[in-house]
């Protein structure tokens, strides 16, 4: 007995809501994607499902609180990215190219909403970077009813913003502080050493990263995690980081879908200034600045869920 009945009841309620979801696998390319979703709903349902994308070093479990909360009023789903959690890994390194990740998102949308259906896409961290890429390509953007981004700047606009700061003496403080925050991206470019360090120090480094980013010590995410799934979540996405620094930057393209941006003001990894230029590409944009760290959806779940719920309801009403 914990001595805190309200905490025990909250845990029981969370488990009850999550138990109502079903686990399925969606095949795409040579991988099998583990998807958790609301049980089959009426295909005539006007409300689009809410699909959550996780970042690094997470699995779909990072969204458990939002799946339970929004799942009471919307069809919801989340999936483990390829090679992470219970999803299988591609057979070769080429299988981690960005194009395959975008194809995975579309394959899951097809499964949830049919080949012409749409979703409300909600993404965090690396999931957010992929979501920006997805939303700016017309062939994929048509699958979105809305886009919500938490703790994930637009990749091209972020690099442009850093380039501008590097040339401005008054912004060198911001520039070097962001380089300090991004040290791991450089470290991940080294061969074999990051894999060795993460493997030998797992799960201590994984727990330390989440705790540094605002996840509470008693969060169920840190207490009830799948050790093997979490280890893969810490290792597999290194391929994404190794592409990122050498990806040729393209001029940013317009985001045509309604967009909700949630900016944690105390993000351990990302300075708020990295979002300064997003209004240039997102016309229908609302921005929320949160008194929170990188994992704001775990640190302030009620606030984050409330913002997402209100935004999605607004978009559904307008459409």
């Amino acid at each position: 007995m914990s001595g805190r009945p309200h905490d025990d009841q909250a845990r029981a309620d969370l488990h009850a809501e999550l138990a109502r979801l079903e686990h399925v696998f969606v095949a795409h390319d040579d991988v099998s994607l583990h998807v958790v979703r609301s049980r089959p709903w009426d295909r005539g349902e006007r409300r689009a499902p809410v699909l959550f994308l996780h970042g690094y070093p997470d699995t779909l479990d990072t969204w458990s609180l939002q799946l339970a909360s929004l799942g009471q009023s919307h069809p919801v789903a989340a999936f483990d990215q390829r090679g992470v959690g219970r999803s299988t890994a591609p057979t070769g390194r080429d299988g981690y190219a960005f194009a395959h990740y975008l194809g995975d998102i579309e394959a899951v949308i097809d499964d949830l909403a049919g080949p012409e259906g749409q979703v409300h896409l909600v993404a965090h961290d690396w999931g957010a970077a992929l979501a920006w890429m997805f939303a700016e390509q017309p062939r994929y953007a048509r699958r979105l009813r809305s886009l919500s981004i938490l703790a994930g700047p637009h990749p091209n606009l972020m690099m442009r913003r850093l380039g501008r700061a590097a040339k401005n003496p008054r912004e060198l403080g911001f520039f070097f502080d962001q380089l300090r925050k991004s040290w791991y991206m450089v470290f991940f470019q080294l061969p074999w050493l990051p894999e060795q360090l993460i493997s030998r120090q797992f799960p201590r480094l994984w727990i330390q990263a989440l705790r540094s980013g605002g996840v509470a010590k008693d969060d169920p995410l840190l207490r009830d995690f799948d050790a093997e799934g979490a280890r893969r979540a810490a290792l597999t996405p290194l391929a994404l980081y190794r592409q990122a620094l050498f990806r040729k930057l393209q001029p940013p393209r317009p985001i045509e879908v309604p967009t909700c941006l949630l900016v944690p003001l105390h993000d351990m990894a990302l300075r708020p200034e990295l979002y300064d230029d997003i209004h240039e590409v997102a016309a229908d944009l609302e921005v929320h600045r949160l008194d929170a760290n990188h994992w704001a959806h775990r640190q302030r779940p009620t606030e984050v869920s409330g913002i997402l719920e209100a935004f999605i309801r607004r978009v559904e009403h307008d459409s």
Side-chain angles (χ1 to χ4, degrees):
M1 184 69 68
S2 70
R4 294 188 290 178
H6 59 288
D7 289 348
D8 293 340
Q9 184 59 52
R11 277 192 216 102
D13 292 344
L14 174 62
H15 285 301
E17 287 297 328
L18 294 178
R20 296 170 59 186
L21 305 176
E22 66 176 2
H23 295 255
V24 299
F25 288 86
V26 173
H28 179 245
D29 292 340
D30 61 343
V31 301
S32 181
L33 302 167
H34 171 226
V35 181
V36 60
R37 67 184 188 189
S38 300
R39 295 187 183 276
W41 52 84
D42 180 1
R43 291 290 182 178
E45 167 70 72
R46 288 188 67 251
R47 295 173 305 170
V50 183
L51 175 60
F52 294 90
L53 290 184
H54 68 78
Y56 178 83
D58 288 320
T59 67
L60 64 79
D61 290 335
T62 193
W63 289 113
S64 62
L65 302 176
Q66 285 67 42
L67 287 167
S69 177
L70 273 71
Q72 297 179 47
S73 55
H74 296 272
V76 294
F79 71 98
D80 289 327
Q81 307 263 16
R82 53 178 50 213
V84 168
R86 293 171 60 187
S87 292
T88 62
T91 54
R93 293 182 63 183
D94 290 346
Y96 292 106
F98 288 126
H100 293 293
Y101 282 90
L102 302 185
D104 290 346
I105 299 171
E106 184 177 43
V108 173
I109 296 174
D110 285 345
D111 181 74
L112 294 174
E116 299 299 323
Q118 293 182 317
V119 299
H120 297 281
L121 189 60
V122 181
H124 175 247
D125 187 79
W126 256 113
L130 295 170
W132 287 121
M133 297 179 202
F134 193 86
E136 70 179 5
Q137 297 187 32
R139 64 164 291 194
Y140 293 132
R142 67 184 185 86
R143 310 304 307 276
L144 300 183
R145 186 78 58 88
S146 74
L147 175 68
S148 295
I149 297 291
L150 169 63
H154 187 292
N156 292 359
L157 292 178
M158 177 182 74
M159 297 306 294
R160 192 182 75 179
R161 182 69 181 86
L162 284 172
R164 195 163 72 237
K167 300 173 184 177
N168 185 345
R170 291 178 295 181
E171 291 200 308
L172 289 179
F174 151 59
F175 176 74
F176 285 113
D177 188 50
Q178 183 55 54
L179 291 186
R180 177 186 63 82
K181 288 174 176 281
S182 300
W183 68 270
Y184 60 93
M185 293 190 68
V186 177
F187 175 66
F188 287 166
Q189 306 306 310
L190 299 175
W192 69 265
L193 184 59
E195 285 87 346
Q196 290 294 317
L197 178 64
I198 292 171
S199 295
R200 291 181 181 181
Q201 296 297 320
F202 186 85
R204 185 181 66 83
L205 282 180
W206 181 78
I207 293 173
Q208 182 180 326
L210 271 66
R211 292 282 292 116
S212 298
V215 178
K217 184 177 182 180
D218 60 350
D219 190 308
L221 193 66
L222 299 180
R223 188 181 62 248
D224 304 326
F225 66 91
D226 168 15
E228 177 57 23
R231 186 189 70 83
R232 295 176 72 214
L235 289 169
T236 301
L238 295 179
L240 282 171
Y241 287 97
R242 287 168 176 158
Q243 291 178 71
L245 289 187
F246 302 103
R247 177 172 173 260
K248 183 178 180 181
L249 294 180
Q250 303 292 334
R253 289 175 280 186
I255 306 295
E256 303 288 356
V257 299
T259 303
C260 178
L261 177 63
L262 294 85
V263 180
L265 295 177
H266 311 294
D267 195 321
M268 70 165 190
L270 300 162
R271 290 273 300 229
E273 292 92 336
L274 296 177
Y275 304 90
D276 283 353
D277 298 337
I278 192 59
H279 63 278
E280 295 182 15
V281 297
D284 184 352
L285 173 69
E286 63 177 62
V287 179
H288 300 266
R289 293 175 172 81
L290 309 178
D291 183 20
N293 206 326
H294 189 70
W295 276 272
H297 57 299
R298 305 301 303 188
Q299 185 181 16
R300 304 179 72 92
T302 302
E303 181 180 4
V304 170
S305 295
I307 291 170
L308 294 174
E309 172 80 16
F311 172 69
I312 290 168
R313 283 187 182 277
R314 191 265 288 179
V315 172
E316 289 287 347
H317 179 270
D318 290 349
S319 61

